Amino acid sequence: MSLFDHQIIPLPLADNNQQSELVFWPNWLSKQQADSFLETSIQSIPWRHDHIKMFGKQVPVPRLQNWFADHSNTSYTYSGICMQAVKFPQWMAELADSVAEQTNYPFNRALVNYYRNGNDSVDWHADDEPELGEDPIIASISLGVERVFQLRHNSTGEVVSLPLPHGSLLLMGSRIQHFYQHRLAKVKNMQQERVNFTFRYMNNNLDKSSYQ
């Protein structure tokens, strides 16, 4: 795991020249480590294939997913989907600890998404649940095929695009969730797989996280 090879990408926030930043480690994991975590994730995670209600119909979520935590007494709810937490397996707990050591932020929750091909995606949203605190800090590990991650400023509409390669680590810094939404768009004719971990922190006295 690389401790020094990183990039800092400034992001403007409000009109008074306030800014935050993305911190990006494009080669945080070695290829061998990333390959191993990708295979372990695909084979061992109990993937959920959930549905959401849109226009009166049940529509499949365009990806597989699950919610993990340092204990099982927590859940994550968005768009009517409630996921009871799966306790971190040892390998995922160690990965969360490594991310915390690298970024200097604690993490005790993870939403893990499995994009089976380019038809799988996630639309514009922010990770701004009240249970994550006033200023959520999100760390994201990408495994598998490189996909383009996009952030869009809520007021200006400015879009920042960042390709996320196999084994990369991205930290979304202070106040980004308040001023930006982000997404992973569909990609035509892409058959390769991708797994993404988004690590978050929640107070363990809270037993539910809600995202609408």
Side-chain angles (χ1 to χ4, degrees), residues 96-169:
D97 288 344
S98 295
V99 172
E101 181 179 0
Q102 176 69 87
T103 62
N104 293 316
Y105 288 100
F107 297 105
N108 60 3
R109 303 287 190 277
L111 180 64
V112 189
N113 288 308
Y114 178 20
Y115 302 89
R116 295 157 293 180
N117 52 52
N119 290 321
D120 282 354
S121 63
V122 61
D123 206 356
W124 292 113
H125 69 284
D127 296 324
D128 56 357
E129 304 90 335
E131 290 82 359
L132 296 177
E134 294 183 0
D135 190 16
I137 304 296
I138 309 295
S140 172
I141 293 177
S142 296
L143 304 171
V145 65
E146 181 174 288
R147 297 276 293 263
V148 176
F149 178 73
Q150 293 180 301
L151 299 101
R152 181 179 66 187
H153 196 283
N154 294 337
S155 298
T156 68
E158 179 182 0
V159 174
V160 176
S161 298
L162 182 65
L164 300 179
H166 184 42
S168 61
L169 170 64

Side-chain angles (χ1 to χ4, degrees), residues 27-141:
N27 301 297
W28 189 63
L29 296 172
S30 69
K31 185 180 184 304
Q32 182 179 9
Q33 289 172 322
D35 288 347
S36 177
F37 281 126
L38 178 62
E39 181 178 1
T40 299
S41 299
I42 292 173
Q43 297 299 324
S44 68
I45 287 177
W47 297 109
R48 297 170 53 108
H49 194 178
D50 292 299
H51 290 69
I52 57 174
K53 191 172 184 179
M54 296 180 63
F55 309 110
K57 297 182 179 180
Q58 292 293 322
V59 179
V61 172
R63 60 194 175 277
L64 306 184
Q65 58 188 355
N66 217 329
W67 175 247
F68 291 84
D70 58 352
H71 65 90
S72 59
N73 187 26
T74 183
S75 61
Y76 180 77
T77 301
Y78 76 97
S79 299
I81 301 169
C82 182
M83 293 184 284
Q84 187 66 34
V86 178
K87 191 176 187 298
F88 280 141
Q90 184 64 31
W91 65 269
M92 197 181 298
E94 292 174 356
L95 187 60
D97 288 344
S98 295
V99 172
E101 181 179 0
Q102 176 69 87
T103 62
N104 293 316
Y105 288 100
F107 297 105
N108 60 3
R109 303 287 190 277
L111 180 64
V112 189
N113 288 308
Y114 178 20
Y115 302 89
R116 295 157 293 180
N117 52 52
N119 290 321
D120 282 354
S121 63
V122 61
D123 206 356
W124 292 113
H125 69 284
D127 296 324
D128 56 357
E129 304 90 335
E131 290 82 359
L132 296 177
E134 294 183 0
D135 190 16
I137 304 296
I138 309 295
S140 172
I141 293 177

Side-chain angles (χ1 to χ4, degrees), residues 8-22 135 153 158 172-177 179-180:
I8 297 178
I9 303 167
L11 290 182
L13 297 178
D15 294 335
N16 58 356
N17 295 322
Q18 294 177 340
Q19 71 175 29
S20 184
E21 62 187 24
L22 303 173
D135 190 16
H153 196 283
E158 179 182 0
M172 290 187 277
S174 178
R175 304 182 71 194
I176 287 177
Q177 304 307 316
F179 287 88
Y180 285 83

